[in-house]
Amino acid sequence: MSSENYQQRKTFFDQLLTIYGRKPVLEALQDPDMQVYKLHLAHSNKEDGIIRELRQLAEQRGIAIEMHERKALSRISKNGKQDQGVAADLQLSAYQPCSAISGDHLQTAPRRYIALDRITNPQNLGMIIRSVAASGIDGLILPRRGGAPLTALVIKASAGTLFKAPIYHCEDLDAELLRMKDDGATLCCLSSHAEHSLFDYKAQGSMVYILGNETEGVSRNLEKRCNARLRIPMHNGVESLNVAVTAALIAFSGI
Amino acid sequence: MSSENYQQRKTFFDQLLTIYGRKPVLEALQDPDMQVYKLHLAHSNKEDGIIRELRQLAEQRGIAIEMHERKALSRISKNGKQDQGVAADLQLSAYQPCSAISGDHLQTAPRRYIALDRITNPQNLGMIIRSVAASGIDGLILPRRGGAPLTALVIKASAGTLFKAPIYHCEDLDAELLRMKDDGATLCCLSSHAEHSLFDYKAQGSMVYILGNETEGVSRNLEKRCNARLRIPMHNGVESLNVAVTAALIAFSGI
């Protein structure tokens, strides 16, 4: 394989999102707007109603079906306990590894990103994806672990925008943020007692806003990396906003 | 009773929110931050565990308990099918009838309100209440019917801010909005194809932003009343935002 070919194939595979479970995969196959690259089934599945339906839908749509040993399927779904012997690779047009945000990228124009640190509620995650897609902010940085996985619930809460939203996935959020900081980006976290208001603070160059877990907020180690702490001014003794609302205010604040 | 006394009593009763059902009322009584004015019980209740617990909590907190015939309790809860023989009046500090927004009020300073037309999802309603309370916008106009009732689910989604948020309740939203328009307020509704951007449009004087049902949007008859239609500029082919996100962008857009 030529190195150009390799790079093309790598880019292609980096854009795949693997979902699992019988119902989520069925819904993906039933939705004509969803680009499904491949259906994965375990040999151990009984050929009952839903498995037959999955096969028929994939065949009608010309989607490749691959059969696997049970263990191999677990490795594909990365969740053998919940995959029910079924997984599918979805092609997302704007889903790519965080490494695609290069130093050049950050330095040639001021860009804005939101990074999520352990957002566990799928409703919140879906709403955040929807606001990111709609706002035109440069992207959502999403670690593969520690938060809600990209399941059918998230797709639903995103109102289908998961397939259009610029999402940058990564394995190690801390390492990626440090790298982006070295490349000149300003890291900000939201905090109710911070000095600067989100609506007034403008850094020179690119910015990454870090949003933390619904209960605990941003992890200590990530908070330490930040160049600035920002607050959203609040009235009536209210102490915090829903994280999806905070994300929307950030995403649209640059407009 | 003197007329002054009458007015005071009327003001007091207008601020009460009646909730119903065993679990919601139990949670209200268990929460020391919640001001409960009265516990209502039906004679027909069996004095089982939860009814005993309700009684004990009310007695400990010095809250009056009133006993009613089953039918009378239905009239108090306004939902005999779901009240389970239990209701409670909560005192909300900033809950009042829409008539409190007088013409003088609208004309002496430019004020901003959000009005909800049939928002049926309790999560959305709770999030909207939380954003309204936090933003310092002048109030949320909430018809008593047609949308999600103010239940425990809404209280939870509001993160307890229901008890602080400036909420103006009304029976007939159309009539109230017409009256406010006559008093000089500009009525706006959100629409994806509108000419003006929410972020650019500034009316002189007071404004009311109308948000419609999650699926159907703003009712036709209300839309006709509006002076302006506003859009939130969107990217990536996204057609709409979650209604709670839209409410937050409106509420904080004046800052």
Side-chain angles (χ1 to χ4, degrees), chain B residues 83-99:
Chain B
D83 65 25
Q84 305 172 301
V86 172
D89 300 322
L90 308 184
Q91 276 175 272
L92 309 192
S93 59
Y95 183 77
Q96 51 195 311
C98 201
S99 56

Side-chain angles (χ1 to χ4, degrees), chain A residues 159-181:
Chain A
T161 59
L162 174 63
F163 301 98
K164 312 166 176 183
I167 297 179
Y168 295 90
H169 54 81
C170 66
E171 299 298 328
D172 182 345
L173 182 60
D174 188 41
E176 288 294 342
L177 291 175
L178 259 186
R179 201 259 308 162
M180 292 171 78
K181 189 178 179 183

Side-chain angles (χ1 to χ4, degrees), chain A residues 124 127 130-137 157 159 161 164-166 197 199 232-245 248-249 252 255, chain B residues 124 127 130-137 157 159 161 164-166 197 199 232-245 248-249 252 255:
Chain A
N124 285 339
M127 285 173 65
R130 188 174 177 184
S131 299
V132 162
S135 68
I137 194 173
T161 59
K164 312 166 176 183
S197 159
F199 303 113
I232 293 174
M234 281 185 248
H235 295 73
N236 293 311
V238 179
E239 286 173 16
S240 69
L241 287 171
N242 172 288
V243 68
V245 162
L249 293 177
F252 282 91
I255 292 176
Chain B
N124 285 339
M127 284 173 65
R130 187 174 177 185
S131 298
V132 162
S135 67
I137 195 171
T161 59
K164 312 166 175 181
S197 159
F199 303 113
I232 294 175
M234 281 187 249
H235 295 72
N236 293 311
V238 178
E239 287 174 14
S240 69
L241 288 170
N242 174 288
V243 68
V245 162
L249 293 177
F252 282 92
I255 292 174

Side-chain angles (χ1 to χ4, degrees), chain A residues 23-45:
Chain A
K23 196 148 180 292
V25 171
L26 181 65
E27 285 178 3
L29 288 170
Q30 285 169 335
D31 184 343
D33 290 336
M34 234 176 254
Q35 291 199 48
V36 183
Y37 171 66
K38 204 175 260 182
L39 171 64
H40 301 278
L41 298 172
H43 285 302
S44 57
N45 291 326

Side-chain angles (χ1 to χ4, degrees), chain B residues 176-195:
Chain B
E176 289 295 341
L177 291 175
L178 258 187
R179 199 260 308 160
M180 292 171 78
K181 189 178 180 182
D182 282 345
D183 284 335
T186 299
L187 307 186
C188 305
C189 62
L190 276 284
S191 159
S192 48
H193 304 293
E195 188 188 348

Side-chain angles (χ1 to χ4, degrees), chain B residues 192-206:
Chain B
S192 48
H193 304 293
E195 188 188 348
H196 304 286
S197 159
L198 163 70
F199 303 113
D200 300 331
Y201 185 81
K202 291 281 172 283
Q204 287 194 320
S206 294

Side-chain angles (χ1 to χ4, degrees), chain B residues 11-254:
Chain B
T11 302
F12 176 78
F13 284 110
D14 277 341
Q15 286 184 347
L16 293 182
L17 170 71
T18 303
I19 63 169
Y20 53 80
R22 295 178 177 206
K23 195 148 181 293
V25 171
L26 180 65
E27 285 179 2
L29 288 169
Q30 284 169 335
D31 184 343
D33 290 336
M34 234 177 254
Q35 292 198 49
V36 183
Y37 171 65
K38 203 175 260 182
L39 172 65
H40 301 279
L41 297 173
H43 286 301
S44 58
N45 291 328
K46 275 191 207 153
E47 291 285 323
D48 62 356
I50 194 162
I51 296 291
R52 247 198 315 268
E53 202 176 345
L54 291 170
R55 268 186 190 289
Q56 280 171 1
L57 280 164
E59 280 161 13
Q60 276 167 26
R61 295 183 54 181
I63 294 162
I65 302 173
E66 210 165 295
M67 299 301 297
H68 305 270
E69 294 306 317
R70 189 70 196 78
K71 274 195 173 173
L73 192 99
S74 301
R75 281 194 296 272
I76 290 168
S77 73
K78 297 197 179 102
N79 194 337
K81 280 191 187 153
Q82 291 179 26
D83 65 25
Q84 305 172 301
V86 172
D89 300 322
L90 308 184
Q91 276 175 272
L92 309 192
S93 59
Y95 183 77
Q96 51 195 311
C98 201
S99 56
I101 308 174
S102 66
D104 268 7
H105 219 79
L106 292 167
Q107 287 151 20
T108 48
R111 294 180 203 268
R112 297 166 73 240
Y113 300 90
I114 292 175
L116 299 189
D117 173 30
R118 300 167 303 133
I119 300 300
T120 55
N121 180 320
Q123 292 283 345
N124 285 339
L125 180 55
M127 284 173 65
I128 292 171
I129 290 169
R130 187 174 177 185
S131 298
V132 162
S135 67
I137 195 171
D138 294 283
L140 183 69
I141 299 173
L142 197 60
R144 280 193 199 264
R145 272 169 258 276
L150 293 173
T151 56
L153 262 178
V154 175
I155 297 171
K156 200 174 166 209
S158 83
T161 59
L162 174 63
F163 302 98
K164 312 166 175 181
I167 297 178
Y168 295 91
H169 53 81
C170 66
E171 300 297 328
D172 183 345
L173 181 61
D174 187 41
E176 289 295 341
L177 291 175
L178 258 187
R179 199 260 308 160
M180 292 171 78
K181 189 178 180 182
D182 282 345
D183 284 335
T186 299
L187 307 186
C188 305
C189 62
L190 276 284
S191 159
S192 48
H193 304 293
E195 188 188 348
H196 304 286
S197 159
L198 163 70
F199 303 113
D200 300 331
Y201 185 81
K202 291 281 172 283
Q204 287 194 320
S206 294
M207 293 176 77
V208 183
Y209 302 86
I210 308 169
L211 293 178
N213 174 269
E214 289 91 337
T215 311
E216 297 165 18
V218 176
S219 314
R220 275 293 180 85
N221 64 322
L222 293 180
E223 204 181 345
K224 280 192 223 154
R225 310 286 193 208
C226 287
N227 304 88
R229 301 170 75 200
L230 308 178
R231 70 185 155 74
I232 294 175
M234 281 187 249
H235 295 72
N236 293 311
V238 178
E239 287 174 14
S240 69
L241 288 170
N242 174 288
V243 68
V245 162
T246 303
L249 293 177
I250 293 170
F252 282 92
S253 68

